[in-house]
mmCIF file of all heavy atoms in Angstrom:
data_model
loop_
_atom_site.group_PDB
_atom_site.id
_atom_site.type_symbol
_atom_site.label_atom_id
_atom_site.label_comp_id
_atom_site.label_asym_id
_atom_site.label_seq_id
_atom_site.Cartn_x
_atom_site.Cartn_y
_atom_site.Cartn_z
ATOM 1 N N ARG A 71 -8.357 20.975 10.969
ATOM 2 C CA ARG A 71 -6.939 20.957 11.320
ATOM 3 C C ARG A 71 -6.146 20.382 10.137
ATOM 4 O O ARG A 71 -6.647 19.564 9.342
ATOM 5 C CB ARG A 71 -6.678 20.167 12.587
ATOM 6 C CG ARG A 71 -7.230 18.773 12.726
ATOM 7 C CD ARG A 71 -6.370 17.617 12.223
ATOM 8 N NE ARG A 71 -4.960 17.765 12.362
ATOM 9 C CZ ARG A 71 -4.270 17.468 13.458
ATOM 10 N NH1 ARG A 71 -4.881 16.956 14.501
ATOM 11 N NH2 ARG A 71 -2.967 17.641 13.473
ATOM 12 N N PRO A 72 -4.865 20.791 9.995
ATOM 13 C CA PRO A 72 -4.075 20.297 8.874
ATOM 14 C C PRO A 72 -3.376 18.967 9.184
ATOM 15 O O PRO A 72 -3.151 18.620 10.337
ATOM 16 C CB PRO A 72 -3.041 21.404 8.675
ATOM 17 C CG PRO A 72 -2.838 21.963 10.047
ATOM 18 C CD PRO A 72 -4.165 21.836 10.749
ATOM 19 N N PHE A 73 -3.050 18.230 8.142
ATOM 20 C CA PHE A 73 -2.123 17.101 8.210
ATOM 21 C C PHE A 73 -1.443 17.010 6.848
ATOM 22 O O PHE A 73 -1.893 17.601 5.865
ATOM 23 C CB PHE A 73 -2.830 15.800 8.592
ATOM 24 C CG PHE A 73 -3.808 15.288 7.572
ATOM 25 C CD1 PHE A 73 -3.434 14.311 6.645
ATOM 26 C CD2 PHE A 73 -5.116 15.745 7.528
ATOM 27 C CE1 PHE A 73 -4.335 13.831 5.699
ATOM 28 C CE2 PHE A 73 -6.026 15.282 6.593
ATOM 29 C CZ PHE A 73 -5.636 14.318 5.670
ATOM 30 N N LYS A 86 10.835 5.956 9.043
ATOM 31 C CA LYS A 86 10.275 7.274 9.365
ATOM 32 C C LYS A 86 11.368 8.336 9.419
ATOM 33 O O LYS A 86 12.483 8.076 9.845
ATOM 34 C CB LYS A 86 9.550 7.221 10.713
ATOM 35 C CG LYS A 86 8.123 6.696 10.614
ATOM 36 C CD LYS A 86 7.406 6.848 11.924
ATOM 37 C CE LYS A 86 5.922 6.593 11.773
ATOM 38 N NZ LYS A 86 5.247 7.631 10.988
ATOM 39 N N GLN A 102 -11.081 16.968 13.404
ATOM 40 C CA GLN A 102 -10.303 16.000 14.180
ATOM 41 C C GLN A 102 -10.943 14.613 14.168
ATOM 42 O O GLN A 102 -10.249 13.599 14.081
ATOM 43 C CB GLN A 102 -10.149 16.491 15.624
ATOM 44 C CG GLN A 102 -9.316 15.583 16.514
ATOM 45 C CD GLN A 102 -7.856 15.532 16.117
ATOM 46 O OE1 GLN A 102 -7.321 16.493 15.568
ATOM 47 N NE2 GLN A 102 -7.202 14.422 16.403
ATOM 48 N N LEU A 105 -9.882 12.513 11.181
ATOM 49 C CA LEU A 105 -8.462 12.512 10.845
ATOM 50 C C LEU A 105 -7.954 11.131 10.428
ATOM 51 O O LEU A 105 -7.313 10.986 9.374
ATOM 52 C CB LEU A 105 -7.642 13.038 12.029
ATOM 53 C CG LEU A 105 -6.126 13.090 11.822
ATOM 54 C CD1 LEU A 105 -5.768 14.033 10.680
ATOM 55 C CD2 LEU A 105 -5.424 13.517 13.112
ATOM 56 N N ILE A 109 -6.575 10.259 6.628
ATOM 57 C CA ILE A 109 -5.179 9.872 6.377
ATOM 58 C C ILE A 109 -5.130 8.608 5.524
ATOM 59 O O ILE A 109 -4.376 8.519 4.543
ATOM 60 C CB ILE A 109 -4.425 9.663 7.705
ATOM 61 C CG1 ILE A 109 -4.220 10.999 8.418
ATOM 62 C CG2 ILE A 109 -3.063 9.000 7.452
ATOM 63 C CD1 ILE A 109 -3.618 10.869 9.801
ATOM 64 N N LEU A 126 -5.119 6.310 15.708
ATOM 65 C CA LEU A 126 -4.170 7.209 15.061
ATOM 66 C C LEU A 126 -2.758 6.633 15.076
ATOM 67 O O LEU A 126 -2.032 6.746 14.076
ATOM 68 C CB LEU A 126 -4.187 8.579 15.755
ATOM 69 C CG LEU A 126 -3.288 9.657 15.123
ATOM 70 C CD1 LEU A 126 -3.695 9.930 13.684
ATOM 71 C CD2 LEU A 126 -3.337 10.935 15.947
ATOM 72 N N LYS A 127 -2.370 5.996 16.182
ATOM 73 C CA LYS A 127 -1.030 5.406 16.255
ATOM 74 C C LYS A 127 -0.833 4.330 15.193
ATOM 75 O O LYS A 127 0.265 4.157 14.662
ATOM 76 C CB LYS A 127 -0.787 4.822 17.648
ATOM 77 C CG LYS A 127 -0.544 5.847 18.734
ATOM 78 C CD LYS A 127 0.843 6.459 18.610
ATOM 79 C CE LYS A 127 1.151 7.381 19.776
ATOM 80 N NZ LYS A 127 2.470 8.041 19.618
ATOM 81 N N CYS A 130 -0.515 6.034 11.811
ATOM 82 C CA CYS A 130 0.768 6.728 11.674
ATOM 83 C C CYS A 130 1.959 5.779 11.592
ATOM 84 O O CYS A 130 3.120 6.217 11.676
ATOM 85 C CB CYS A 130 0.961 7.704 12.834
ATOM 86 S SG CYS A 130 -0.089 9.169 12.715
ATOM 87 N N VAL A 135 3.311 10.014 6.727
ATOM 88 C CA VAL A 135 2.348 10.862 7.430
ATOM 89 C C VAL A 135 3.095 11.860 8.313
ATOM 90 O O VAL A 135 3.960 11.480 9.099
ATOM 91 C CB VAL A 135 1.390 10.015 8.301
ATOM 92 C CG1 VAL A 135 0.345 10.923 8.965
ATOM 93 C CG2 VAL A 135 0.710 8.940 7.473
ATOM 94 N N TYR A 136 2.738 13.138 8.210
ATOM 95 C CA TYR A 136 3.428 14.193 8.951
ATOM 96 C C TYR A 136 2.426 15.140 9.615
ATOM 97 O O TYR A 136 1.349 15.415 9.067
ATOM 98 C CB TYR A 136 4.342 15.001 8.018
ATOM 99 C CG TYR A 136 5.516 14.213 7.506
ATOM 100 C CD1 TYR A 136 5.373 13.368 6.399
ATOM 101 C CD2 TYR A 136 6.753 14.274 8.133
ATOM 102 C CE1 TYR A 136 6.447 12.622 5.927
ATOM 103 C CE2 TYR A 136 7.836 13.542 7.673
ATOM 104 C CZ TYR A 136 7.675 12.712 6.573
ATOM 105 O OH TYR A 136 8.743 11.970 6.112
ATOM 106 N N GLY A 137 2.799 15.628 10.807
ATOM 107 C CA GLY A 137 2.014 16.654 11.497
ATOM 108 C C GLY A 137 0.636 16.216 11.936
ATOM 109 O O GLY A 137 -0.210 17.063 12.245
ATOM 110 N N ALA A 138 0.404 14.912 12.041
ATOM 111 C CA ALA A 138 -0.950 14.424 12.345
ATOM 112 C C ALA A 138 -1.179 14.184 13.830
ATOM 113 O O ALA A 138 -2.328 14.182 14.279
ATOM 114 C CB ALA A 138 -1.234 13.139 11.565
ATOM 115 N N ASP A 139 -0.112 13.946 14.606
ATOM 116 C CA ASP A 139 -0.337 13.651 16.025
ATOM 117 C C ASP A 139 -0.160 14.876 16.926
ATOM 118 O O ASP A 139 0.022 14.763 18.128
ATOM 119 C CB ASP A 139 0.532 12.487 16.508
ATOM 120 C CG ASP A 139 1.992 12.617 16.113
ATOM 121 O OD1 ASP A 139 2.368 13.695 15.624
ATOM 122 O OD2 ASP A 139 2.741 11.643 16.299
ATOM 123 N N ILE A 140 -0.218 16.068 16.335
ATOM 124 C CA ILE A 140 -0.321 17.297 17.122
ATOM 125 C C ILE A 140 -1.805 17.511 17.434
ATOM 126 O O ILE A 140 -2.638 17.517 16.534
ATOM 127 C CB ILE A 140 0.221 18.510 16.331
ATOM 128 C CG1 ILE A 140 1.666 18.261 15.890
ATOM 129 C CG2 ILE A 140 0.118 19.773 17.172
ATOM 130 C CD1 ILE A 140 2.646 18.036 17.011
ATOM 131 N N ASN A 141 -2.145 17.643 18.707
ATOM 132 C CA ASN A 141 -3.553 17.765 19.103
ATOM 133 C C ASN A 141 -4.218 18.961 18.421
ATOM 134 O O ASN A 141 -3.603 20.022 18.276
ATOM 135 C CB ASN A 141 -3.673 17.929 20.618
ATOM 136 C CG ASN A 141 -3.327 16.653 21.360
ATOM 137 O OD1 ASN A 141 -3.219 15.592 20.761
ATOM 138 N ND2 ASN A 141 -3.134 16.762 22.655
ATOM 139 N N VAL A 142 -5.475 18.791 18.059
ATOM 140 C CA VAL A 142 -6.213 19.898 17.439
ATOM 141 C C VAL A 142 -6.310 21.083 18.400
ATOM 142 O O VAL A 142 -6.303 22.252 17.978
ATOM 143 C CB VAL A 142 -7.609 19.422 16.986
ATOM 144 C CG1 VAL A 142 -8.474 19.025 18.185
ATOM 145 C CG2 VAL A 142 -8.319 20.495 16.171
ATOM 146 N N SER A 144 -3.977 22.001 20.464
ATOM 147 C CA SER A 144 -2.688 22.692 20.401
ATOM 148 C C SER A 144 -2.624 23.598 19.177
ATOM 149 O O SER A 144 -2.071 24.697 19.230
ATOM 150 C CB SER A 144 -1.542 21.675 20.362
ATOM 151 O OG SER A 144 -1.506 20.896 21.539
ATOM 152 N N ILE A 145 -3.193 23.127 18.078
ATOM 153 C CA ILE A 145 -3.222 23.923 16.847
ATOM 154 C C ILE A 145 -4.061 25.184 17.057
ATOM 155 O O ILE A 145 -3.682 26.287 16.663
ATOM 156 C CB ILE A 145 -3.764 23.075 15.679
ATOM 157 C CG1 ILE A 145 -2.780 21.941 15.356
ATOM 158 C CG2 ILE A 145 -4.013 23.934 14.440
ATOM 159 C CD1 ILE A 145 -3.325 20.893 14.411
ATOM 160 N N ASP A 439 -1.301 16.860 29.380
ATOM 161 C CA ASP A 439 -0.033 16.285 28.927
ATOM 162 C C ASP A 439 1.164 16.991 29.554
ATOM 163 O O ASP A 439 2.297 16.834 29.097
ATOM 164 C CB ASP A 439 0.072 16.373 27.397
ATOM 165 C CG ASP A 439 -0.954 15.506 26.700
ATOM 166 O OD1 ASP A 439 -1.210 14.398 27.187
ATOM 167 O OD2 ASP A 439 -1.514 15.945 25.670
ATOM 168 N N LYS A 445 6.262 15.321 24.726
ATOM 169 C CA LYS A 445 5.066 15.863 24.074
ATOM 170 C C LYS A 445 5.136 17.382 24.005
ATOM 171 O O LYS A 445 4.821 17.998 22.964
ATOM 172 C CB LYS A 445 3.812 15.406 24.840
ATOM 173 C CG LYS A 445 2.499 16.008 24.340
ATOM 174 C CD LYS A 445 2.184 15.601 22.919
ATOM 175 C CE LYS A 445 0.815 16.127 22.507
ATOM 176 N NZ LYS A 445 0.614 15.980 21.053
ATOM 177 N N ILE A 448 7.722 18.351 21.292
ATOM 178 C CA ILE A 448 7.252 18.095 19.928
ATOM 179 C C ILE A 448 6.220 19.148 19.518
ATOM 180 O O ILE A 448 6.243 19.660 18.392
ATOM 181 C CB ILE A 448 6.657 16.683 19.811
ATOM 182 C CG1 ILE A 448 7.771 15.636 19.845
ATOM 183 C CG2 ILE A 448 5.847 16.529 18.536
ATOM 184 C CD1 ILE A 448 8.730 15.716 18.660
ATOM 185 N N ASP A 449 5.295 19.475 20.442
ATOM 186 C CA ASP A 449 4.284 20.496 20.125
ATOM 187 C C ASP A 449 4.945 21.821 19.774
ATOM 188 O O ASP A 449 4.556 22.491 18.811
ATOM 189 C CB ASP A 449 3.332 20.682 21.311
ATOM 190 C CG ASP A 449 2.353 19.526 21.458
ATOM 191 O OD1 ASP A 449 2.239 18.723 20.510
ATOM 192 O OD2 ASP A 449 1.707 19.421 22.513
ATOM 193 N N HIS A 452 6.949 21.575 16.438
ATOM 194 C CA HIS A 452 6.067 21.495 15.269
ATOM 195 C C HIS A 452 5.871 22.880 14.652
ATOM 196 O O HIS A 452 6.001 23.051 13.420
ATOM 197 C CB HIS A 452 4.715 20.910 15.672
ATOM 198 C CG HIS A 452 3.679 20.955 14.597
ATOM 199 N ND1 HIS A 452 3.685 20.105 13.517
ATOM 200 C CD2 HIS A 452 2.608 21.777 14.419
ATOM 201 C CE1 HIS A 452 2.665 20.386 12.719
ATOM 202 N NE2 HIS A 452 1.998 21.402 13.248
ATOM 203 N N ILE A 462 7.104 18.245 11.142
ATOM 204 C CA ILE A 462 7.559 17.170 12.024
ATOM 205 C C ILE A 462 6.879 15.857 11.645
ATOM 206 O O ILE A 462 5.692 15.812 11.305
ATOM 207 C CB ILE A 462 7.234 17.512 13.491
ATOM 208 C CG1 ILE A 462 8.042 18.728 13.944
ATOM 209 C CG2 ILE A 462 7.494 16.334 14.415
ATOM 210 C CD1 ILE A 462 9.502 18.473 14.172
ATOM 211 N N GLY A 463 7.641 14.741 11.736
ATOM 212 C CA GLY A 463 7.086 13.419 11.475
ATOM 213 C C GLY A 463 6.164 12.966 12.587
ATOM 214 O O GLY A 463 6.017 13.632 13.616
ATOM 215 N N THR A 464 5.538 11.823 12.408
ATOM 216 C CA THR A 464 4.592 11.293 13.396
ATOM 217 C C THR A 464 5.179 10.069 14.096
ATOM 218 O O THR A 464 6.158 9.478 13.641
ATOM 219 C CB THR A 464 3.269 10.907 12.727
ATOM 220 O OG1 THR A 464 3.536 9.979 11.665
ATOM 221 C CG2 THR A 464 2.546 12.118 12.179
ATOM 222 N N SER A 465 4.553 9.699 15.185
ATOM 223 C CA SER A 465 4.983 8.533 15.958
ATOM 224 C C SER A 465 3.915 7.446 15.866
ATOM 225 O O SER A 465 2.766 7.668 16.254
ATOM 226 C CB SER A 465 5.202 8.935 17.422
ATOM 227 O OG SER A 465 5.486 7.810 18.212
ATOM 228 N N GLY A 466 4.285 6.299 15.342
ATOM 229 C CA GLY A 466 3.353 5.181 15.249
ATOM 230 C C GLY A 466 3.475 4.255 16.432
ATOM 231 O O GLY A 466 4.259 4.495 17.356
#
Side-chain angles (χ1 to χ4, degrees):
R71 51 89 34 85
F73 66 97
K86 277 188 169 292
Q102 182 67 29
L105 180 62
I109 290 174
L126 183 60
K127 286 286 186 183
C130 287
V135 183
Y136 292 83
D139 49 10
I140 304 300
N141 290 348
V142 65
S144 297
I145 294 169
D439 294 321
K445 175 63 175 168
I448 287 296
D449 286 346
H452 172 75
I462 294 287
T464 56
S465 174

